[in-house]
Amino acid sequence: MASCSFSCPQIYFGEEAITSLSQFNDKRVAIVTDDFMVTSGKTRYLIDYMPQASVSIFGEVKPDPDIDILIAGAARFKTFKPDVIIALGGGSSLDAAKGIKVTLEEYFTDHHIELIAIPTTSGSGSEVTAYAIVSDPHNGRKYPLISGHLVPDIAILDPNLVLTVPRHVAVDTGMDVLTHAIEAFVATGANDFSDALAEKAIALTWRYLPQVFNDEKDIVARTHMHNASCMAGMAFNAAGLGLVHGMAHAIGGMLHIPHGKINAMLLPIVIDFNSQQVAAHTRDRYHRCAQIMGIEHAVPGQAITQMTQAIRQINRHFGIPATLSELGIDRAKISALRAALVSSALADGCTASNPRSANARDVEALLDQVTG
């Protein structure tokens, strides 16, 4: 095996994790978030733990941030010159903060800015990854940026911040966690360290996401899902992802579907595709995923079939449609975008680490399946 490395930020987790913000009490702190986090009092919740800090807030992040948001956020903080940027919110706020931080450091060439990520959804894992997704609304596309400079210095996992996330958002983002973990486990870059985190993330998600669905205020289940999201993020940051994410970025961006939802819809379809013509090593890895999920069939092919059936069943239980048609997407729109969807999925950086190589014909067939 070639030389590899594994790194992760300092992570504070548990119900008292937010108290770690006291270490920034004498700093110039910029908070990057959305309007809801400001109006709902979540930013005040943070500030109360660093009352002596000088704080500036950029609360204009929108879902699927584009380059204009990054420029606007950087402009807000140029005269403030923060020592610390706190990213507060879902994946969009975390990704925007990463872009704003890098933009500011290009402007302040001699000034390092510490990046603190505080996720308020359990899904993207962006608080520990070198990834950020930037949208191009003019072309309806999402582009994954990958750089070590995007990894936050500290991640704070406070389950109290996810208790108000609605059930439908919690299951969409939770299925994103499951997808991250399974794709990382079978990705071409998988290694012993990423495997350990992926396996645990699969086990936690399969056990606790249904509990979150049943009781949104279950703090124990929320805590485990928040931890699983972070673990899955560390896993795919080291191992890579796969064709589910490659297609999800294209389909979600062009058809405006929540990322976790389209991942959940694609996951069983792509597992079926990957397990058809791959080395025994990859089949064995999918078999291991099935075992973690409680499927004990000794024959790998049978276990994988049962696993994809189980994923489809849990999607139905959560109210996630099986097809784009069921979701209400116009077939004519999909047909018009077909060539762009295929080329975008094949060009996506996540597709490169899929365990089975895919060509345009393969992606077209998968697109037909998910269209329904």
Side-chain angles (χ1 to χ4, degrees), residues 5-309:
S5 66
F6 183 87
S7 62
C8 65
Q10 174 77 41
I11 300 168
Y12 297 92
F13 59 96
E15 293 185 55
E16 300 296 323
I18 202 70
T19 61
S20 62
L21 285 176
S22 61
Q23 66 189 281
F24 306 114
N25 205 23
D26 60 346
K27 303 288 188 180
R28 300 176 68 81
V29 178
I31 299 177
V32 176
T33 191
D34 57 51
D35 180 65
F36 175 76
M37 291 293 154
V38 177
T39 59
S40 66
K42 295 295 194 299
T43 50
R44 172 50 55 186
Y45 176 63
L46 270 55
I47 293 168
D48 286 345
Y49 288 98
M50 41 182 186
Q52 305 305 316
S54 177
V55 177
S56 178
I57 299 173
F58 177 73
E60 299 167 26
V61 177
K62 301 291 189 293
D64 304 323
D66 58 25
I67 190 68
D68 292 338
I69 290 290
L70 309 189
I71 293 170
R76 173 72 59 84
F77 298 136
K78 274 186 178 178
T79 56
F80 183 66
K81 196 176 183 181
D83 303 306
V84 177
I85 291 177
I86 295 178
L88 174 69
S92 293
S93 290
L94 271 57
D95 289 350
K98 290 178 177 183
I100 290 168
K101 183 233 184 194
V102 170
T103 304
L104 284 173
E105 286 188 332
E106 288 181 352
Y107 183 75
F108 300 119
T109 55
D110 59 344
H111 180 63
H112 172 70
I113 301 170
E114 201 165 4
L115 180 60
I116 316 304
I118 307 179
T120 60
T121 60
S122 304
S124 75
S126 187
E127 69 272 11
V128 289
T129 74
Y131 290 74
I133 306 298
V134 176
S135 293
D136 175 5
H138 302 296
N139 293 305
R141 297 192 180 189
K142 295 181 180 181
Y143 296 101
L145 308 179
I146 307 173
S147 169
H149 296 294
L150 300 177
V151 180
D153 299 285
I154 293 174
I156 299 176
L157 310 180
D158 183 349
N160 294 295
L161 287 169
V162 298
L163 279 176
T164 56
V165 174
R167 177 181 283 108
H168 72 280
V169 176
V171 297
D172 281 354
T173 55
M175 290 304 293
D176 194 18
V177 176
L178 184 66
T179 305
H180 286 157
I182 291 176
E183 285 214 293
F185 195 68
V186 301
T188 56
N191 57 72
D192 289 344
F193 292 88
S194 64
D195 285 353
L197 291 159
E199 287 194 33
K200 187 62 175 181
I202 293 168
L204 289 173
T205 303
W206 200 248
R207 176 174 178 181
Y208 290 103
L209 186 56
Q211 293 185 27
V212 172
F213 180 76
N214 292 337
D215 179 5
E216 296 166 275
K217 300 301 182 184
D218 185 336
I219 188 69
V220 173
R222 289 282 196 174
T223 299
H224 285 301
M225 278 305 305
H226 217 32
N227 293 343
S229 176
C230 185
M231 291 175 191
M234 287 188 281
F236 81 72
N237 192 56
L241 287 164
L243 187 55
V244 176
H245 272 78
M247 291 187 67
H249 290 147
I251 297 171
M254 295 186 205
L255 298 175
H256 309 292
I257 302 167
H259 179 66
K261 189 184 298 293
I262 188 60
N263 269 338
M265 295 165 68
L266 286 165
L267 180 58
I269 295 171
V270 173
I271 291 174
D272 285 341
F273 167 78
N274 282 344
S275 59
Q276 286 168 5
Q277 295 181 20
V278 290
H281 169 75
T282 299
R283 280 196 301 276
D284 288 344
R285 286 188 157 258
Y286 276 130
H287 189 191
R288 175 62 187 144
C289 292
Q291 290 173 328
I292 296 167
M293 293 159 61
I295 297 165
E296 296 297 342
H297 204 291
V299 179
Q302 293 296 320
I304 294 166
T305 297
Q306 290 180 22
M307 177 173 67
T308 55
Q309 289 173 346

Side-chain angles (χ1 to χ4, degrees), residues 243 247 273-274 277 341-343 345-347 351 354 356-367:
L243 187 55
M247 291 187 67
F273 167 78
N274 282 344
Q277 295 181 20
L341 288 166
V342 171
S343 63
L346 289 172
T351 300
N354 194 65
R356 178 182 174 184
S357 296
N359 56 34
R361 187 177 301 170
D362 294 327
V363 176
E364 286 178 356
L366 292 167
L367 181 59

